[in-house]
Amino acid sequence: MEEIELPVKKVDIIISEWMGYFLLYEAMLDTVLYARDKYLASGGLILPDKVTLNMAAIQDKIFKAEKFGQWENVYGFNMRCIKEVALGEPLVDVVNSSLIVTDTCKFFEADLYTVKIEDLTFANKYKLKINRDDTVDALVCWFDAEFTRLKNPITLSTSVYSEPTHWKQTIFYLSTPASMLKDEVMEGSIAVKKSLVHPRSLDMVITYRHEGKNSKISYKQLYRLA
């Protein structure tokens, strides 16, 4: 889009399936915003026009132990350093809603009529309340894309509570799990930006804090979705 000229000056509708894993992976929204600023007529439509990112926490002891615990003994060798690298790679997979142990927190939203490219680099806070006594092993994120200006508005949801899509969900396993009691809170921040090395990839920093009866944790973890 950035390298061509359309045979018209303005268009009435821009429709694009630009969403990637974790919504922003592959940076395709940049092109939609370029097309909006250059070609969209006054009063024109963008489909979808509103997007949100949401988060919840899960317990996933068995899978986490199988996936990451293997590095502690590889044919008799302690390769725990590889475990830390593996933990920094978010997993894209379908999450069973029965694993969810907290409420849901919306931590990012964008109106495609007004959002700017610089708004896609952000550091936002989140807060999650646990709904049963359990351990938090990972944070899971998904997006919703809304078509609000249609005659019959609809929402495309990639939530753990909706039918699975090819976007699945994005899982961030925690180096240090949190043992929590019902109604206790985990809070922190999530910072997202494009990778300087691979602009279609995302570099993220997640902090999480919990001060409860069974555990007190304050941790910062780096991730790259590549």
Side-chain angles (χ1 to χ4, degrees):
M1 174 61 66
E2 291 88 344
E3 298 175 356
I4 65 172
E5 286 291 331
L6 297 182
V8 295
K9 290 186 176 180
K10 295 292 179 181
V11 298
D12 295 318
I13 301 175
I14 295 175
I15 181 167
S16 176
E17 188 275 275
W18 54 266
M19 299 82 74
Y21 299 134
F22 190 76
L23 182 66
L24 300 175
Y25 177 62
E26 294 188 327
M28 294 303 295
L29 180 53
D30 295 20
T31 297
V32 176
L33 301 186
Y34 174 87
R36 175 200 68 188
D37 293 343
K38 186 171 183 178
Y39 290 112
L40 187 64
S42 177
L45 294 179
I46 305 176
L47 304 173
D49 61 285
K50 183 179 179 181
V51 291
T52 59
L53 273 165
N54 306 278
M55 173 193 292
I58 62 172
Q59 69 80 17
D60 201 11
K61 304 178 188 68
I62 296 176
F63 180 81
K64 183 180 179 184
E66 292 175 348
K67 182 174 177 63
F68 303 107
Q70 60 179 321
W71 295 110
E72 296 186 9
N73 187 339
V74 182
Y75 299 104
F77 293 94
N78 186 336
M79 300 185 68
R80 192 170 296 170
C81 58
I82 303 297
K83 176 182 176 180
E84 293 305 313
V85 174
L87 281 165
E89 299 175 352
L91 177 66
V92 177
D93 204 352
V94 174
V95 174
N96 190 314
S97 62
S98 67
L99 298 179
I100 299 292
V101 296
T102 67
D103 57 3
T104 299
C105 175
K106 178 174 67 176
F107 63 90
F108 174 81
E109 62 182 332
D111 182 335
L112 266 67
Y113 291 101
T114 58
V115 69
K116 300 176 182 179
I117 289 178
E118 52 265 34
D119 297 330
L120 308 182
T121 297
F122 60 88
N124 293 341
K125 295 181 179 180
Y126 68 87
K127 187 175 184 178
L128 300 169
K129 179 187 285 188
I130 195 163
N131 52 36
R132 65 187 191 224
D133 296 357
D134 217 321
T135 299
V136 171
D137 295 297
L139 301 174
V140 56
C141 298
W142 63 85
F143 70 84
D144 293 335
E146 300 179 43
F147 300 72
T148 69
R149 300 199 183 185
L150 297 179
K151 183 178 180 180
N152 297 304
I154 58 173
T155 298
L156 166 66
S157 179
T158 65
S159 166
V160 295
Y161 301 109
S162 301
E163 288 294 319
T165 69
H166 78 274
W167 289 283
K168 304 178 183 179
Q169 289 89 39
T170 306
I171 309 163
F172 301 86
Y173 284 95
L174 307 180
S175 293
T176 304
S179 177
M180 298 175 63
L181 301 179
K182 183 180 179 182
D183 294 330
E184 289 185 343
V185 170
M186 172 180 282
E187 58 187 328
S189 63
I190 177 167
V192 179
K193 66 178 182 179
K194 295 177 189 173
S195 168
L196 295 177
V197 180
H198 302 289
R200 291 187 179 275
S201 300
L202 295 174
D203 287 340
M204 289 170 271
V205 179
I206 294 179
T207 67
Y208 54 100
R209 298 182 301 278
H210 167 249
E211 292 190 9
K213 184 176 180 180
N214 292 343
S215 68
K216 294 184 179 181
I217 293 172
S218 180
Y219 204 82
K220 179 171 73 173
Q221 200 160 332
L222 310 180
Y223 299 91
R224 172 168 290 177
L225 183 58

